[in-house]
Amino acid sequence: DSVLAALEQLWTPYGAIIGPGLQDPTGHTIEPFGNGMETAGRFAVNDTAGALDLMRRTFGQMVDERDPLYTGGLWEFKNSNGGVNRATASLAHGWAASPTVQLTEQVLGVTPVDAGYATGRIKPHPGNLAWARGVVPTRYGDITASWWSSSVGLVLGAQTPRDTNGTIAVPATHRS
């Protein structure tokens, strides 16, 4: 908890800064790769609300089609104002793609247990979201999962390929 609280001191409206004294001389202060590691850590200790908050700050602008820098990709870095300072900045950078994995494995909750999803697990972490749905392609066929919050709790639906095994779990409270 104390490490997460210390990291949160580095948050800005556009993501967490690299840290005092570590900024690039050209002005990039926020690295989505590092922010992705922090969101992964927050998911790992069940701080889903914190992970989603930082994810929105860091990556929300990148997926907003109204943003002038929108490319449909995730950016290599940002400055403290949410922009970029270099003409050579990558606005479609694979190292910034942590949300694609985290939204699938943590929020939707679909993870492999064995290679190729011969055995899998569906265990969503809804946080403050109302719903999620997705399809995960595997060598055995697609895993389809969806969940939504209702007045009685979390409703989860799943469809898995024939001849595969797995576990489906729901949180004890639908806000974890």
Side-chain angles (χ1 to χ4, degrees), residues 49-63:
L52 292 173
D53 185 5
L54 183 56
M55 194 178 285
R56 285 181 184 106
R57 291 168 186 259
T58 307
F59 302 98
Q61 174 189 10
M62 297 179 205
V63 298

Side-chain angles (χ1 to χ4, degrees), residues 33 74-76 90 92-98 100:
F33 176 74
L74 301 173
W75 310 345
E76 179 180 12
S90 171
H93 202 73
W95 282 30
S98 61
T100 60

Side-chain angles (χ1 to χ4, degrees), residues 16-38:
I17 62 169
I18 297 169
L22 299 175
Q23 290 88 354
D24 180 292
T26 64
H28 94 259
T29 58
I30 299 167
E31 290 190 341
F33 176 74
N35 281 232
M37 288 191 286
E38 182 176 342

Side-chain angles (χ1 to χ4, degrees), residues 74-101:
L74 301 173
W75 310 345
E76 179 180 12
F77 54 77
K78 297 164 56 171
N79 63 29
S80 56
N81 296 320
V84 294
N85 290 39
R86 293 189 211 154
T88 59
S90 171
L91 299 180
H93 202 73
W95 282 30
S98 61
T100 60
V101 173

Side-chain angles (χ1 to χ4, degrees), residues 156-174:
L156 173 69
Q159 198 168 22
T160 60
R162 183 178 294 255
D163 299 324
T164 60
N165 297 298
T167 304
I168 297 177
V170 294
T173 172
H174 73 287

Side-chain angles (χ1 to χ4, degrees), residues 4-174:
L4 293 179
L7 288 171
E8 194 169 339
Q9 299 303 308
L10 301 174
W11 289 13
T12 73
Y14 303 103
I17 62 169
I18 297 169
L22 299 175
Q23 290 88 354
D24 180 292
T26 64
H28 94 259
T29 58
I30 299 167
E31 290 190 341
F33 176 74
N35 281 232
M37 288 191 286
E38 182 176 342
T39 56
R42 289 181 181 279
F43 278 122
V45 297
N46 294 318
D47 179 16
T48 302
L52 292 173
D53 185 5
L54 183 56
M55 194 178 285
R56 285 181 184 106
R57 291 168 186 259
T58 307
F59 302 98
Q61 174 189 10
M62 297 179 205
V63 298
D64 182 353
E65 294 179 8
R66 298 165 297 173
D67 190 277
L69 294 175
Y70 175 78
T71 63
L74 301 173
W75 310 345
E76 179 180 12
F77 54 77
K78 297 164 56 171
N79 63 29
S80 56
N81 296 320
V84 294
N85 290 39
R86 293 189 211 154
T88 59
S90 171
L91 299 180
H93 202 73
W95 282 30
S98 61
T100 60
V101 173
Q102 293 171 12
L103 291 171
T104 300
E105 293 186 349
Q106 300 298 323
V107 175
L108 187 60
V110 179
T111 56
V113 174
D114 291 334
Y117 289 87
T119 304
R121 176 178 28 243
I122 301 173
K123 182 181 177 186
H125 294 92
N128 57 3
L129 299 177
W131 63 274
R133 72 171 174 247
V135 177
V136 179
T138 78
R139 65 179 295 198
Y140 301 100
D142 292 345
I143 297 173
T144 303
S146 63
W147 59 258
W148 59 94
S149 295
S150 76
S151 60
V152 295
L154 187 81
V155 177
L156 173 69
Q159 198 168 22
T160 60
R162 183 178 294 255
D163 299 324
T164 60
N165 297 298
T167 304
I168 297 177
V170 294
T173 172
H174 73 287

